Amino acid sequence: MSSPPNRPIEPDEAQTQRALWRSALLLVVVVVAVLGVFFWQGEKQQTNSEATTGDGLTEVERDAVPAVRFTDITREAGITFVQANGATGEKLLPETMGGGVAFFDCDGDGDQDLLFVNGTAWPWDKDKHPTTAALYRNDTPAGGPVKFTDITAGSGLDVPIYGMGVAVGDYDGDGLADVYLTAVGTNHLFHNLGGGKFKDVTAESGIGGPAEDWSTSAAFFDYDHDGDLDLFVCNYVRWDRDLDLRLDHQLPGIGRAYGPPLNFPGQFPLLFRNDGGGKFTEVGAKAGLDIRNPINGDPQGKALGVAVVDLDRDGWLDLVVANDTVPNFVFRNQGDGTFKEVGAKSGLALDAFGGTRGAMGIDAAPLDEDNQLAIAIGNFANEMTALYVAQPTPMLFSDEALTRGIGSASRMSLTFGVFFFDYDLDGWLDLLTVNGHIDPDIGKLGHGQSYRQATQLFWNGTGVLGRRAFVPVPAGKVGEDLFKPIVGRGSAYADVDGDGDLDVVLTQIAGPPLLLRNDLNPASYARVQLVGQGGNGMAIGARITFLQNGRAHSRLVGPTRGYLSQSELPVTLPCGSGKSVKVEVIWPDQSHQTVEVPAGDSVQKIKQGGNP
């Protein structure tokens, strides 16, 4: 507070002011010194490299990135699916938002099959061409080329809905992975009958949700520790065609365009409690998930992605929800059937400047030497991908995207799908982001944006001052196929050919997917699949820890990753030069189990309380 006018400053007060000035000056000196060291280190690294390459990497950074080629095998693998969004020229918002995909074992034969979520024709379209999701069975022979067979017809999944996302989970504990499809309109639950056949059990299960909802990502998890899988469903905005047309979003000088969700009301998410016997009860409001706008009392959330993760290591799974243009939610599990929203307190709700972002895909994983939890969130163009890293204070996160090497490289991209995976099998988790704009005409504005955008891969390496950081991988290290510009949306990973490295699938709006084979072909690796007790046989929420080159690493078990999508459940681990790897499993009930897993091509099952 300044002194009132015409009042002389007392001696004590003057002394205090001089002390404050000295403290401020000292602080400036310290800051300048720290920045000097930081930039000296950067210059030193630059000098040692002798040159900066055209992609912005120093020679040292570029040389450190491993050469691991990804090869587009979509057509040769037998995948002919093309995403349909029902667009007829009206540019309705849902048409640019879909594209979920899942790797999962649909028939129980041990390999990873593929499910593509699809849109369909709008009810008012006079020239209707109904389309459905597409199910591909993995028929890859041992040691042979990757081969998928379209088994959609007669699978039970061939139901025309305006699909968005997918969640995979064994909700009835029979050992078979069931499928939940989210949609604009009623969602659908399909019970796995075995042999690649499914039955629509939406009506009898009570899990369809309101017909006026627009649901996006979803996740199976056991939130109440009763041993079976419950289901969380993201809802986006309260949408209808008439409102979309009335809002009439325009690109300057071009015309009608796909617009942001700013003027659409939000929606509450859904939480379906598994009551057993194939029945569910929606308990979102009772569980504390109905967050309202403090100004008008309307639903605040506009959810597109969800990460299921135990943020505070108390044994109860929490939820981090990526919201588009409104603060992200963090639902902390209270252990009594309820959640408390702590997004602002945790630092995950907003960006570093206190602003909201266009958040979409999300993934969580233990990151570096200390296994700090990191949460990556894909955001809109000019907002950069977020990388929230856990701080020493419990339940506190800080966005370290800039200092960890992701921020600047991702700023221009509009990112939907994100996931962590170890593409070079060195034990450290890398990051892949799938990009694409929302409107085909965006390039005409001349702002450096394009509709089709390249995927980005960030290698987890060593950064400034020796700290673990991410390095953008140049095309020369992985090949051009991975970086083919697409209108990217969903993404997932799995070892589709059983050779020990992780292959990738990417989806795009109104186009074919990309199935990319990882050609690392590691010499020694182990594949682990956990088999839990009771209704959570998929062991969703478990953690695996292991040693690689003397350092501890962790993996979180669960399929829900990225945007609208699901990745495989088996976990691939490096064995280095050894013939086995010792793993410790922390099961969802927090019991511990240590197992020596042999290296080899086959998936080793670890049964809770027993031997693999």
Side-chain angles (χ1 to χ4, degrees):
M1 181 180 294
S2 60
S3 301
N6 302 320
R7 184 179 71 82
I9 297 176
E10 299 297 331
D12 288 345
E13 191 174 350
Q15 185 175 4
T16 299
Q17 288 192 6
R18 285 195 297 272
L20 289 174
W21 276 105
R22 285 196 297 269
S23 298
L25 182 61
L26 178 62
L27 178 61
V28 170
V29 171
V30 170
V31 169
V32 170
V34 170
L35 289 176
V37 171
F38 179 83
F39 286 112
W40 174 78
Q41 288 284 350
E43 288 297 325
K44 181 179 179 182
Q45 186 181 42
Q46 175 78 8
T47 302
N48 289 340
S49 70
E50 296 182 355
T52 300
T53 59
D55 49 25
L57 303 178
T58 66
E59 291 289 356
V60 170
E61 291 172 328
R62 188 185 182 98
D63 290 344
V65 175
V68 180
R69 185 165 295 274
F70 284 85
T71 303
D72 183 357
I73 59 168
T74 312
R75 283 289 176 177
E76 67 185 73
I79 295 174
T80 58
F81 172 78
V82 176
Q83 198 263 356
N85 63 354
T88 59
E90 291 185 318
K91 292 200 171 181
L92 304 175
L93 185 56
E95 296 167 356
T96 194
M97 299 298 291
V101 61
F103 276 121
F104 75 115
D105 185 1
C106 79
D107 50 8
D109 65 354
D111 54 23
Q112 299 300 306
D113 309 297
L114 257 176
L115 173 65
F116 295 100
V117 185
N118 207 0
T120 195
W122 291 114
W124 51 83
D125 185 359
K126 296 179 180 179
D127 188 23
K128 291 183 181 179
H129 296 286
T131 50
T132 74
L135 180 63
Y136 285 85
R137 184 182 64 221
N138 191 338
D139 290 330
T140 303
V146 176
K147 177 65 177 177
F148 283 88
T149 302
D150 188 342
I151 60 169
T152 308
S155 67
L157 296 174
D158 48 344
V159 178
I161 62 174
Y162 203 97
M164 283 281 143
V166 55
V168 175
D170 180 10
Y171 73 87
D172 58 349
D174 65 355
L176 296 172
D178 309 298
V179 171
Y180 187 76
L181 296 183
T182 64
V184 178
T186 303
N187 303 323
H188 287 256
L189 177 64
F190 297 91
H191 179 231
N192 194 331
L193 303 175
K197 301 294 183 180
F198 294 81
K199 179 184 178 182
D200 190 337
V201 294
T202 306
E204 53 264 48
S205 67
I207 207 169
E212 64 271 16
D213 280 2
W214 173 359
S215 299
T216 51
S217 295
F220 282 103
F221 74 121
D222 182 9
Y223 85 93
D224 52 3
H225 278 202
D226 65 352
D228 53 25
L229 291 178
D230 312 293
L231 181 70
F232 177 85
V233 181
C234 293
N235 276 337
Y236 189 33
V237 295
R238 184 70 67 189
W239 177 88
D240 65 62
R241 179 193 184 199
D242 291 342
L243 176 58
D244 201 329
L245 293 174
R246 287 199 308 273
L247 291 174
D248 194 26
H249 181 73
Q250 300 275 323
L251 287 178
I254 295 173
R256 179 162 170 81
Y258 293 110
L262 294 171
N263 294 319
F264 291 97
Q267 284 191 288
F268 295 131
L270 304 173
L271 179 63
F272 291 100
R273 185 188 65 219
N274 191 335
D275 297 328
K279 305 292 185 182
F280 290 80
T281 300
E282 205 287 305
V283 295
K286 183 179 178 181
L289 302 184
D290 287 5
I291 307 301
R292 296 183 178 275
N293 186 308
I295 297 175
N296 57 24
D298 291 340
Q300 185 174 20
K302 298 181 180 181
L304 288 175
V306 58
V308 179
V309 59
D310 184 0
L311 293 171
D312 50 5
R313 299 284 191 94
D314 66 352
W316 296 85
L317 290 171
D318 310 298
L319 299 166
V320 185
V321 178
N323 280 321
D324 191 359
T325 70
V326 297
N328 300 320
F329 293 152
V330 177
F331 292 113
R332 188 176 189 179
N333 196 327
Q334 301 297 290
D336 59 1
T338 68
F339 294 81
K340 183 179 181 181
E341 205 288 300
V342 295
K345 291 181 179 179
S346 70
L348 288 161
L350 304 167
D351 66 16
F353 303 99
T356 60
R357 291 188 276 202
M360 286 162 285
I362 183 172
D363 195 15
L367 188 61
D368 53 20
E369 294 97 330
D370 300 320
N371 279 310
Q372 290 175 285
L373 184 67
I375 298 171
I377 300 178
N379 293 306
F380 206 78
N382 296 312
E383 291 178 342
M384 74 186 180
T385 295
L387 185 71
Y388 295 100
V389 179
Q391 303 302 299
T393 302
M395 287 294 294
L396 183 64
F397 290 78
S398 176
D399 189 351
E400 299 183 2
L402 279 171
T403 58
R404 298 269 185 161
I406 292 174
S408 297
S410 65
R411 186 180 297 278
M412 291 300 292
S413 299
L414 199 166
T415 300
F416 279 86
V418 297
F419 60 68
F420 292 102
F421 76 136
D422 185 4
Y423 81 92
D424 59 338
L425 219 60
D426 64 352
W428 303 103
L429 288 171
D430 313 296
L431 181 69
L432 183 141
T433 70
V434 184
N435 310 310
H437 219 284
I438 62 172
D439 195 278
D441 295 320
I442 193 66
K444 297 178 182 179
L445 294 182
H447 296 326
Q449 287 293 318
S450 59
Y451 184 47
R452 301 181 185 278
Q453 298 183 6
T455 294
Q456 290 179 292
L457 179 63
F458 296 89
W459 177 65
N460 190 342
T462 302
V464 176
L465 303 179
R467 186 185 189 188
R468 298 298 303 185
F470 290 90
V471 178
V473 178
K477 292 289 186 174
V478 294
E480 297 287 348
D481 289 355
L482 180 63
F483 299 136
K484 176 184 177 182
I486 60 173
V487 193
R489 295 295 184 263
S491 58
Y493 65 81
D495 181 6
V496 299
D497 49 4
D499 64 353
D501 50 36
L502 297 176
D503 312 296
V504 171
V505 66
L506 316 175
T507 71
Q508 62 174 328
I509 290 294
L514 290 181
L515 178 62
L516 297 146
R517 185 188 65 221
N518 186 330
D519 293 330
L520 174 66
N521 297 319
S524 183
Y525 61 91
R527 296 263 292 161
V528 175
Q529 183 168 351
L530 303 186
V531 181
Q533 295 176 342
N536 185 9
M538 300 173 74
I540 293 174
R543 177 188 293 260
I544 294 174
T545 65
F546 65 98
L547 290 177
Q548 169 73 357
N549 295 327
R551 293 186 178 274
H553 298 270
S554 291
R555 298 289 183 267
L556 306 181
V557 178
T560 304
R561 304 184 187 282
Y563 177 71
L564 308 176
S565 300
Q566 307 273 287
S567 290
E568 68 170 359
L569 268 177
V571 177
T572 302
L573 305 174
C575 292
S577 58
K579 296 182 179 179
S580 65
V581 58
K582 181 180 288 186
V583 304
E584 182 183 21
V585 180
I586 300 94
W587 295 94
D589 64 4
Q590 299 305 289
S591 62
H592 290 231
Q593 186 174 345
T594 301
V595 179
E596 190 83 21
V597 181
D601 297 337
S602 60
V603 175
Q604 303 294 316
K605 291 187 176 181
I606 299 178
K607 297 180 180 180
Q608 186 173 5
N611 296 322

